[in-house]
Amino acid sequence: MEIEVKYQTNQEQAAQLWRHPLIAPWLGEERQLSMEACYYDSPAGDCARAGFALRLRREGRRQICAVKGGDPEGADGVARRIELEVSADSLAQGVRSLLQNPSLPRQWAAALSGPLEQTARMTFTRRAADYRRQNLWIELCYDWGKILANSGQSPIGECELELKLGSEKEFLELIQALEAQLGWKPWRKSKYARAKELMK
């Protein structure tokens, strides 16, 4: 299960989050990666109809194939989604590995069993660091770049906080405190949701 919240931001606002007194004392070493994410679906849109996205993402020198879907957002602005991922040299290899995962929902497996085609591509840079306080582990990210789909494009500029380990209650309390002090509101659109708008 992926549990995360995101905010539409620029680089100055991201730096404000990194420096915030509720974050900075527990923030680890920063890392930066160039990323390219390609999304796929069947010609008939079976993945979208089954309620998930299929992604092959290059993260530096690694490639990760993932499926993610489920509840895109809650009333609190936090997304809680099923996410399964595997290391893969190609889309075909990744899909084969995902189909062998017993946690893959049956309707998702059916959608992955036929031909697939690319629907969108994203290129961006990710600045990331890990927040660790007692039993709480959160990954902070700032992504900037662009979404490309159907001959159109849209800019990426967003901060994400993802709960990696620990209490969801503590995570939500921290998020709420940050939102109150920074004046931020959750951004309820995923990158792929924005890509789908370009596809229309």
Side-chain angles (χ1 to χ4, degrees):
M1 176 70 71
E2 177 190 63
I3 300 173
E4 70 174 19
V5 61
K6 68 172 57 187
Y7 305 93
Q8 187 175 19
T9 58
N10 55 36
Q11 293 199 38
E12 183 178 338
Q13 291 168 316
Q16 188 180 9
L17 175 64
W18 254 248
R19 295 192 304 263
H20 196 281
L22 290 177
I23 294 293
W26 296 277
L27 205 57
E29 185 176 348
E30 183 179 312
R31 54 195 181 272
Q32 187 165 298
L33 282 175
S34 295
M35 294 192 173
E36 180 179 51
C38 294
Y39 287 78
Y40 298 86
D41 203 341
S42 73
D46 294 324
C47 297
R49 192 158 38 247
F52 75 97
L54 169 64
R55 180 187 71 205
L56 182 66
R57 186 164 73 188
R58 177 181 54 78
E59 303 178 359
R61 296 182 179 179
R62 301 172 63 223
Q63 278 203 139
I64 304 293
C65 188
V67 286
K68 57 194 301 182
D71 182 14
E73 62 187 48
D76 51 10
V78 177
R80 297 167 178 84
R81 292 182 287 247
I82 298 169
E83 181 177 34
L84 303 172
E85 59 181 34
V86 294
S87 294
D89 293 329
S90 66
L91 178 67
Q93 183 189 58
V95 169
R96 284 196 302 269
S97 296
L98 289 167
L99 287 170
Q100 294 171 7
N101 189 324
S103 298
L104 185 72
R106 185 177 301 174
Q107 62 270 36
W108 294 17
L112 293 174
S113 298
L116 298 165
E117 61 184 20
Q118 183 176 307
T119 56
R121 183 170 68 92
M122 299 161 199
T123 59
F124 58 97
T125 301
R126 169 163 290 181
R127 175 190 178 196
D130 292 327
Y131 168 103
R132 294 180 185 265
R133 178 172 57 84
Q134 298 177 339
N135 295 322
L136 193 61
W137 172 18
I138 300 168
E139 184 181 43
L140 274 72
C141 299
Y142 172 62
D143 294 342
W144 70 95
K146 58 186 176 182
I147 298 168
L148 303 161
N150 197 27
S151 301
Q153 68 177 45
S154 182
I156 295 172
E158 59 189 42
C159 281
E160 296 179 3
L161 291 88
E162 181 180 350
L163 178 62
K164 293 292 191 179
L165 186 69
S167 163
E168 185 175 342
K169 179 176 180 291
E170 289 182 46
F171 175 66
L172 292 176
E173 287 172 351
L174 176 62
I175 292 302
Q176 289 162 4
L178 287 168
E179 290 176 356
Q181 294 183 32
L182 293 170
W184 290 7
K185 293 183 179 180
W187 199 28
R188 299 175 183 270
K189 284 186 181 178
S190 69
K191 293 181 182 71
Y192 191 54
R194 295 176 61 207
K196 287 196 289 186
E197 291 178 350
L198 293 174
M199 290 181 230
K200 294 178 180 176

